[in-house]
């Protein structure tokens, strides 16, 4: 009797790329729900738009590159990119923002670099950075958190705003307001003390109102990913730890000029970056020490951009810059091989 | 940066360290431990490959048609890395020819076919009295172990007498008996330890005697083998040797790997490319210790071993099998296959070797015969690009960067592969087991290592031929130079001669001149 031949191991791995991506999506769900709760149904519409465009471009590029379409479409990686992007743009942004963002994410950042596993840069952040640079004004149109909203927009209303670009019933001012980070930036630019700025209604206990709760839910999802071993603890810990360690002395030294450390952690996309963006394996570091450095680097750049940069939140740029350094860091932080002298 | 520790702060086994990486696996061992070890009925024929393990092919010392007795020598190795091969039973040699063997590179290999006569008559050499091992000098003991054809039975199949020959190493203080068979399904060592704990310990004592300086004999068990430890404790009380220590190690794959086990028990790392002997440690499988006892006390050479037959067979169990027994025979007496069996493996599911033909037979390194059903196998086609998730880095017990190695091998960058220490990969397959992209990493590494070896070989050959070329050049040049020198010397000699002749001629001429007319200017001086 004859039997099939193959090299060891004979049993399959228990995980799959699709499985990993599904877990990431699942872990993002609480954050998505929280964001929708606080900032309205626009979040969901953006999500759908980003998903549609992401899969459209993914499909076209796979066809163009003559790759196995079914295999790669079912890996859920496009979905993760789309969701991360959608969570970072204002809920009422016009529909073509997603189109442009996903074009740069999927076509340029992902497929022109060789597709899944070969992208040097985090696709979602490339898309976001392009939008930030080209249409900075969009980011001032952020919906107010639920408790501060003057008008509750109906779903059809939201859809028409997104697709026509016109705030029909009222002006933009009535339905949007500056984000806490933006408020802080413009406030300090006007020479106000941080403590004064923080009395504005967009702020909550330590982050932005609503934002801090969203951050909590992101954190919960992140912890679940840690528990499931989908991500490793090094990047999130290094990132959040560095933010905390760098901002605490500043705050203690001069609380009037420097925001609370927790505010940095609980506002903007810090938490999302720590657990979901900086932990992107493909564009990040792979050595244990490199991962620590990567997290630290993102944190430092994030703070620098928030403090001195021209953009309200520096997550996208911080990540992209560190993506650039990742191969170099990996090269110099290789671990000692078993049985080799130190 | 942490450095490899070079000395132990505890006695070996007193404190359990941990090794990097590793994977927790389901055991699947219970199913084959339900029956005691039994002997299979005698098969119709035994087929004994002359190549029982890597590195050596034995030369037959019997001829076709000859009758042999049980335990009689059949073949001798042709180099020091081999071991003797004995007749597992009495009968006659029906053929010495090419038969299917396991080794993946060669579908067939030279085998001795023995037709048993079912009398099982012992050869006189196995009935001769030998002196008590306790009074035997080291070299004689090692000689006896070599004569019994004993090799490592854990799978590495390295001749045991060579392991014991430690003239070039520091004194061996620690002997580890490895009973931690970390791969799923395999239970032959566990069953052996359950049934013969004293014999295993005795084997350990004999080995320790052969190593002379041993202070610690450590039996390493997995922590899930509860009953085995009780059996060993009882056996230890009987034997009463203070050097013996029983250690239960965590069951995490590949804890039973030699390097990993040594790290766990002593905290020491076997140097890359080195041997445990360099650290004063010798590590042998418990099955090997048992065969040593059988050879030195019962005077039985290595002609049988315990084989686990398990997986998708109807009656999984352990058999004390004669070498040469066909796999098909073992499968038949283990109740035959369940449905959809499409792969047979020698060894475990992770490091085992696929068998393409069930007519091959049991060899010395054959610890487990595993039948796997189609749905249990990995699908070789479906692999995705590496997403750099670093799961492989986390589980690699050699602390390598498998995903970078994979890349270096795929781009055929041997320099990078060896920079990333590809040669330190122990081919344990941990990285494969966790890779979400289902990349056959271990296959790549095996291939990459063979590339590295052949590259090294080529380099050595190139260096050698360059040396030869240089030597030839130098020789030619020296010859040339010598010729030149000789020529110069000859010319010199010739011109010297000429000069001398000229001188003589001149002198003669002067003499003649003098005689004709006495010199003037010189004479003035003498006049003063
Ligand atoms: S486990 Fe597989 S996908 Fe993950 S880094 Fe290693 S090779 Fe790449
Ligand atoms: S097969 Fe090699 S690279 Fe993979 S985990 Fe084992 S030692 Fe590491």
């Amino acid at each position: 009797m004859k039997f099939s031949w193959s090299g060891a191991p004979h049993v399959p791995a228990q995980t799959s790329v699709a499985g990993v991506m599904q877990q990431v999506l699942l872990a993002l769900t609480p954050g998505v729900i929280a964001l929708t709760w606080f900032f309205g149904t626009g979040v969901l519409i953006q999500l759908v738009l980003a998903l549609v465009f992401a899969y459209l471009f993914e499909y076209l590029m796979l066809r163009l590159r003559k790759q196995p379409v079914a295999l790669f479409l079912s890996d859920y990686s496009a979905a993760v990119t789309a969701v991360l992007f959608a969570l970072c743009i204002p809920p009422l942004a016009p529909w073509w923002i997603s189109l442009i963002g996903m074009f740069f994410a999927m076509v340029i950042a992902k497929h022109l670099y060789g597709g899944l596993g070969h992208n040097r840069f985090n696709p979602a952040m490339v898309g976001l950075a392009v939008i930030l640079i080209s249409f900075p004004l969009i980011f001032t149109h952020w919906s107010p958190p639920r408790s501060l909203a003057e008008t509750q927009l109906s779903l059809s209303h939201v859809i028409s705003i997104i697709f026509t670009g016109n705030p029909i019933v009222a002006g933009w001012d009535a339905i949007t307001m500056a984000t806490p980070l933006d408020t802080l930036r413009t406030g300090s630019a006007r020479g106000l003390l941080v403590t004064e700025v923080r009395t504005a209604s967009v702020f909550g206990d330590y982050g932005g109102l609503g934002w801090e709760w969203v951050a909590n839910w992101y954190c919960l999802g992140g912890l679940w990913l840690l528990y499931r071993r989908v991500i490793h603890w090094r990047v999130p810990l290094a990132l959040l730890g560095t933010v905390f360690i760098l901002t605490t002395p500043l705050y203690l030294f001069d609380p009037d000029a420097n925001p609370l450390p927790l505010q940095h952690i609980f506002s903007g996309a810090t938490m999302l970056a720590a657990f979901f963006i900086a932990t992107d394996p493909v564009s990040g570091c792979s050595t244990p020490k490199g991962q620590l450095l990567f997290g630290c680097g993102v944190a430092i750049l994030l703070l620098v951009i928030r403090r001195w940069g021209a953009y309200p939140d520096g997550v996208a740029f911080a990540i992209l810059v560190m993506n650039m350094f990742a191969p170099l860091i990996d090269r110099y932080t290789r671990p000692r091989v078993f049985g080799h002298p130190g | 940066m942490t450095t490899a520790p070079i000395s132990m702060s505890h006695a070996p086994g007193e404190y359990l360290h941990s090794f990097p990486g590793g994977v927790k696996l389901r055991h699947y061992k219970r199913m084959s431990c339900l029956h005691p070890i039994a002997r299979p009925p005698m098969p119709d024929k035994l087929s004994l490959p002359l190549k029982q393990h890597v590195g050596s092919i034995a030369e037959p010392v019997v001829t076709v048609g000859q009758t042999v007795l049980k335990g009689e020598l059949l073949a001798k190795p042709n180099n020091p890395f081999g071991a003797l091969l004995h007749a597992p039973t009495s009968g006659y040699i029906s053929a010495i020819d090419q038969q299917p063997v396991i080794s993946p590179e060669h579908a067939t290999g030279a085998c001795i076919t023995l037709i048993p006569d079912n009398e099982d008559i012992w050869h006189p050499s196995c009935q001769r009295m030998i002196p008590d091992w306790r009074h035997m000098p080291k070299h004689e003991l090692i000689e006896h172990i070599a004569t019994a054809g004993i090799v490592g039975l854990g799978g590495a199949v390295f001749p045991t007498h060579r392991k014991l020959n430690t003239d070039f190493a520091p004194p061996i203080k620690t002997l580890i008996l490895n009973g931690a068979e970390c791969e799923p399904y395999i239970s032959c060592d566990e069953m052996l330890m359950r049934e013969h704990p004293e014999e295993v310990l005795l084997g350990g004592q004999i080995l320790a005697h052969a190593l002379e300086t041993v202070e610690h004999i450590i039996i390493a068990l997995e922590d899930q083998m509860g009953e085995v430890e009780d059996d060993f404790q009882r056996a230890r009380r009987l034997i009463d040797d203070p050097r013996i220590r029983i250690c239960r190690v965590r069951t995490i794959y590949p804890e039973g790997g030699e390097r990993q086990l040594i790290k766990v028990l002593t905290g020491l790392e076997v140097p890359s490319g080195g041997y445990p002997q360099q650290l004063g440690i010798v590590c042998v499988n418990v099955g090997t210790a048992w065969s040593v006892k059988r050879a030195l006390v019962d005077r039985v050479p290595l002609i049988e071993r315990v084989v686990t037959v398990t997986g998708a067979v109807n009656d999984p169990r352990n058999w004390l099998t004669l070498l040469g027994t066909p796999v098909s025979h073992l499968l038949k007496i283990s109740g035959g296959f369940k449905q959809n069996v499409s792969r047979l493996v020698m060894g475990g599911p992770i490091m085992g070797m696929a068998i393409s033909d069930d007519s091959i037979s049991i060899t010395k390194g054959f610890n487990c015969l595993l039948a796997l059903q189609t749905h249990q196998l990995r699908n070789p086609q479906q692999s995705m690009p590496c997403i750099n998730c670093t799961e492989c880095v986390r589980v690699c017990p050699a602390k390598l960067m498998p995903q970078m190695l994979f890349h270096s091998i795929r781009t055929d960058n041997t320099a990078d592969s060896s920079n990333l220490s590809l040669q330190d990969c122990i081919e344990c397959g941990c990285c494969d087991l966790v890779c979400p992209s289902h990349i056959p990493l271990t296959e790549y590494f095996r291939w990459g290592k063979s590339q590295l070896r052949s590259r090294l070989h080529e380099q050595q050959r190139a260096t050698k031929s360059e040396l030869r070329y240089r030597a030839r050049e130098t020789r030619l040049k020296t010859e040339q130079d010598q010729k030149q020198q000789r020529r110069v010397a000859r010319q010199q000699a010739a011109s010297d001669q000429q000069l001398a002749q000229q001188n003589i001629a001149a002198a003669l001429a002067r003499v003649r001149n003098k005689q004709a007319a006495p010199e003037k200017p010189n004479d003035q001086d003498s006049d003063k």
Side-chain angles (χ1 to χ4, degrees):
Chain A
M1 199 171 158
K2 299 280 177 196
F3 299 89
S4 65
W5 196 92
S6 142
H10 304 281
V11 284
Q14 295 306 324
T15 57
S16 65
V17 175
V20 168
M21 298 295 172
Q22 277 170 341
Q23 306 233 33
V24 174
L25 289 174
L26 196 60
L28 278 168
T29 320
V32 170
I33 295 175
L35 204 65
T36 315
W37 168 259
F38 284 109
F39 299 98
T41 40
V43 175
L44 292 181
I45 312 258
Q46 297 298 346
L47 217 58
V48 173
L49 282 174
L51 282 168
V52 168
F53 290 131
Y55 272 97
L56 185 71
F57 287 125
E58 176 100 330
Y59 174 76
L60 290 178
M61 289 311 286
L62 286 172
R63 286 301 294 270
L64 212 63
R65 294 179 51 231
K66 302 198 170 47
Q67 296 283 314
V69 174
L71 181 67
F72 282 105
L73 275 190
S74 57
D75 69 11
Y76 290 90
S77 63
V80 171
T81 302
V83 172
L84 287 179
F85 175 83
L87 291 181
C88 292
I89 58 170
L92 294 181
W95 61 275
W96 44 264
I97 288 293
S98 283
L99 178 70
I100 296 173
M102 284 300 106
F103 174 79
F104 277 93
M106 304 310 291
V107 178
I108 312 279
K110 186 171 180 184
H111 282 286
L112 289 191
Y113 273 87
L116 178 75
H118 297 282
N119 46 298
R120 267 275 132 263
F121 297 95
N122 185 324
M125 291 304 108
V126 171
L128 187 63
V130 169
I131 301 295
L132 268 169
I133 294 170
S134 328
F135 312 98
L137 281 184
I138 298 283
F139 285 83
T140 59
H141 290 176
W142 210 290
S143 316
R146 189 179 190 82
S147 54
L148 298 181
E150 291 163 16
T151 35
Q152 293 295 337
L153 299 174
S154 68
L155 182 63
S156 58
H157 203 156
V158 170
I159 293 176
S160 84
I161 293 176
I162 291 175
F163 283 94
T164 62
N166 277 326
I168 304 162
V169 275
W172 276 112
D173 287 347
I175 55 165
T176 65
M177 89 198 266
T179 63
L181 280 178
D182 238 354
T183 317
L184 198 63
R185 154 182 317 281
T186 42
S188 353
R190 293 216 317 269
L192 294 177
L193 297 181
V194 168
T195 32
E196 288 170 325
V197 178
R198 271 192 56 89
T199 56
S201 55
V202 282
F203 289 96
D205 293 332
Y206 27 77
L209 196 65
W211 288 101
E212 51 198 23
W213 274 103
V214 175
N216 281 338
W217 290 110
Y218 284 149
C219 183
L220 193 74
L223 291 178
W224 190 73
L225 285 186
L226 276 177
Y227 166 71
R228 297 299 315 244
R229 289 251 179 85
V230 173
I231 59 173
H232 301 265
W233 56 270
R234 293 191 184 83
V235 172
L237 189 80
L239 200 158
L240 297 178
T242 308
V243 168
F244 194 78
I245 290 170
L246 286 185
T247 49
T248 304
L250 289 177
Y251 173 73
L252 292 179
F253 177 68
D254 188 358
D256 282 340
N258 297 294
L260 205 66
L262 286 180
Q263 174 173 342
H264 277 293
I265 292 177
F266 282 96
S267 57
T270 317
M271 204 61 97
L272 190 65
F275 287 105
F276 295 93
I277 307 176
T279 49
D280 167 39
V282 180
S283 54
C285 281
S286 47
T287 64
K289 266 184 223 155
Q291 289 173 345
L292 286 176
L293 285 177
F294 189 89
C296 288
V298 170
I300 294 171
L301 288 168
L302 184 70
L303 292 176
V304 166
I305 296 173
R306 275 188 189 172
R307 180 74 182 76
W308 290 291
Y311 295 96
D313 200 356
V315 165
F317 300 107
I319 299 269
L320 291 178
V321 171
M322 288 313 289
N323 284 167
M324 235 150 52
F325 284 110
L328 194 73
I329 297 176
D330 272 349
R331 193 160 184 92
Y332 289 101
T333 50
R334 285 180 189 168
R336 178 183 69 83
V337 174
F338 188 88
H340 280 241
Chain B
M1 196 164 259
T2 49
T3 52
I6 43 167
S7 67
M8 296 180 249
S9 47
H10 299 268
E14 194 176 55
Y15 172 83
L16 293 186
H17 304 254
S18 62
F19 67 93
V23 198
K24 274 217 155 67
L25 298 170
R26 280 191 62 189
H27 310 306
Y28 300 105
K29 293 196 197 235
R30 284 298 94 157
M31 61 164 115
S32 53
C33 296
L34 299 175
H35 306 285
I37 301 176
R39 275 178 205 275
M42 185 65 77
D44 297 338
K45 66 167 196 180
L46 300 173
S47 168
L48 298 137
L50 290 168
K51 184 176 170 150
Q52 291 275 329
H53 46 85
V54 215
S56 165
I57 298 179
E59 303 276 356
V61 297
V62 288
T63 49
V64 178
Q66 184 180 340
T67 41
V68 292
L69 295 178
K70 184 168 185 163
E72 188 172 341
L73 186 64
L74 292 183
K76 273 202 292 213
N78 58 2
N79 71 25
F81 297 104
L84 303 178
L85 186 60
H86 302 85
T89 183
S90 57
Y92 78 99
I93 309 293
S94 71
I96 302 179
D97 59 359
Q98 295 288 313
Q99 298 283 337
V101 291
I102 289 169
S103 174
E105 307 103 321
H106 315 287
T108 64
C111 293
I112 298 179
T113 308
L114 172 63
I115 307 291
D117 58 9
N118 291 315
E119 305 279 338
D120 230 17
I121 306 166
W122 282 99
H123 190 256
S125 70
C126 302
Q127 293 173 320
R128 206 181 56 220
M129 287 303 290
I130 55 168
D132 189 349
W133 56 268
R134 279 169 245 262
H135 308 303
M136 242 187 249
K138 171 178 177 144
H139 66 92
E140 207 174 301
L141 197 48
I142 293 179
E143 187 56 41
H144 272 287
I145 290 173
T147 322
I150 294 176
V151 297
L153 298 186
V157 211
F158 189 75
T160 305
H161 63 275
R162 292 194 57 84
K163 242 186 194 176
L164 299 176
N165 194 346
T166 52
D167 297 343
F168 306 102
I172 304 296
K173 294 270 166 66
T174 308
L175 171 67
I176 297 173
L177 301 184
N178 185 352
E181 49 196 2
C182 44
E183 270 205 75
Y185 290 102
I186 312 177
S187 65
C188 57
D189 289 350
E190 177 173 351
M191 287 304 284
L192 182 72
M193 292 190 288
R194 248 199 238 175
E195 297 189 10
H196 305 287
E198 301 94 17
E199 299 189 21
V200 170
L201 288 187
L202 202 56
Q205 283 186 306
I206 299 174
L207 288 165
H209 185 68
L211 290 165
E212 287 179 320
T213 47
V214 170
E215 292 168 5
H216 309 276
I217 303 176
I218 299 174
I219 321 281
L221 307 175
E222 286 175 6
D223 55 8
Q224 44 107 17
M225 301 176 177
E227 308 147 45
V228 182
E229 186 179 358
D230 300 341
D231 296 337
F232 265 116
Q233 295 293 8
R234 250 193 310 281
R236 191 177 66 160
R237 278 196 292 280
L238 280 179
I239 286 186
D240 190 29
D241 183 337
R243 296 175 299 177
I244 296 176
R245 183 192 290 273
I246 295 154
C247 283
R248 289 169 73 158
V249 297
R250 263 184 331 146
T251 312
I252 175 169
Y253 179 78
E255 181 105 55
E258 191 173 75
R259 283 158 189 261
Q260 283 63 43
L261 189 61
I262 289 174
K263 168 87 184 180
V264 167
L265 293 175
T266 66
L268 303 181
E269 290 182 12
V270 177
S272 158
Y275 299 96
Q277 281 90 331
Q278 288 169 263
L279 303 172
I281 299 171
V282 163
C283 183
V284 299
N285 171 268
V286 287
T288 316
W290 185 63
S291 341
V292 167
K293 181 261 161 188
R294 299 237 300 162
L296 267 292
V297 179
D298 312 329
R299 303 184 305 281
V300 180
L302 181 56
I303 54 170
E304 56 190 353
R305 65 156 300 144
V306 185
V307 179
T308 310
V309 182
T310 186
V313 291
N314 288 317
D315 187 13
R317 57 195 299 166
N318 282 281
W319 297 102
L320 183 55
T321 316
L322 293 181
L323 299 180
T325 304
V327 161
S328 51
H329 183 70
L330 279 186
L331 287 168
K332 201 163 76 211
I333 57 172
S334 303
F337 291 132
K338 292 188 178 156
Q339 302 236 298
N340 291 329
V341 169
S342 63
R343 174 133 342 138
L344 272 186
V345 178
M346 173 185 92
I350 300 163
M351 292 183 79
M353 211 175 258
I355 301 171
S356 51
D357 187 336
D358 67 356
S359 67
I360 67 138
S361 53
I362 300 302
T363 50
K364 293 180 180 179
F366 209 123
N367 50 359
C368 176
L369 176 60
L370 171 64
L372 290 171
Q373 287 160 310
T374 314
H375 68 90
Q376 296 173 301
L377 299 179
R378 64 186 293 155
N379 184 343
Q381 270 88 51
Q382 260 181 14
S383 92
M384 305 269 289
C386 167
I387 56 165
N388 199 26
C389 67
T390 68
E391 270 297 284
C392 50
V393 180
R394 183 175 67 80
V395 299
C396 177
K399 290 224 273 191
L400 300 174
M401 306 282 295
Q403 91 287 29
M404 290 190 189
L405 276 173
F406 164 63
H407 189 252
S408 76
I409 292 171
R410 225 186 24 177
T411 53
D412 217 4
N413 188 343
T414 34
D416 221 21
S417 305
S418 73
N419 267 342
L420 288 161
S421 307
L422 177 59
Q423 60 286 354
D424 285 294
C425 168
I426 56 171
E427 297 172 27
C428 65
C430 285
C431 46
D432 262 62
L433 292 179
V434 297
C435 178
S437 293
H438 303 168
I439 302 170
L441 293 163
T442 321
E443 281 276 356
Y444 271 98
F445 300 156
R446 267 193 290 269
W447 191 80
K449 279 167 86 171
S450 72
Q451 289 293 101
L452 270 194
R453 273 195 299 272
S454 64
R455 193 63 57 99
L456 195 73
H457 201 70
E458 239 167 63
Q459 260 167 18
Q460 277 168 351
R461 232 189 8 226
T463 331
K464 246 187 230 158
S465 58
E466 190 182 329
L467 284 180
R468 252 201 319 269
Y469 174 76
R470 287 247 184 83
R472 183 166 174 273
E473 288 282 279
T474 332
R475 199 184 64 233
L476 287 183
K477 189 150 187 321
T478 336
E479 275 172 15
Q480 200 89 33
D481 286 352
Q482 282 168 352
K483 255 188 217 155
Q484 180 71 21
Q485 272 168 10
R486 277 203 298 276
R487 196 177 309 127
V488 172
R490 254 201 319 274
Q491 278 170 357
Q492 188 71 34
S495 59
D496 282 356
Q497 215 172 354
Q498 231 172 357
L499 204 67
Q501 275 167 3
Q502 277 170 5
N503 285 349
I504 294 169
L508 285 177
R510 272 201 305 278
V511 172
R512 267 200 302 279
N513 285 348
K514 233 182 202 158
Q515 283 168 349
E519 282 169 62
K520 280 162 204 162
N522 284 353
D523 290 348
Q524 285 169 353
D525 280 9
S526 52
D527 285 351
K528 278 179 196 166

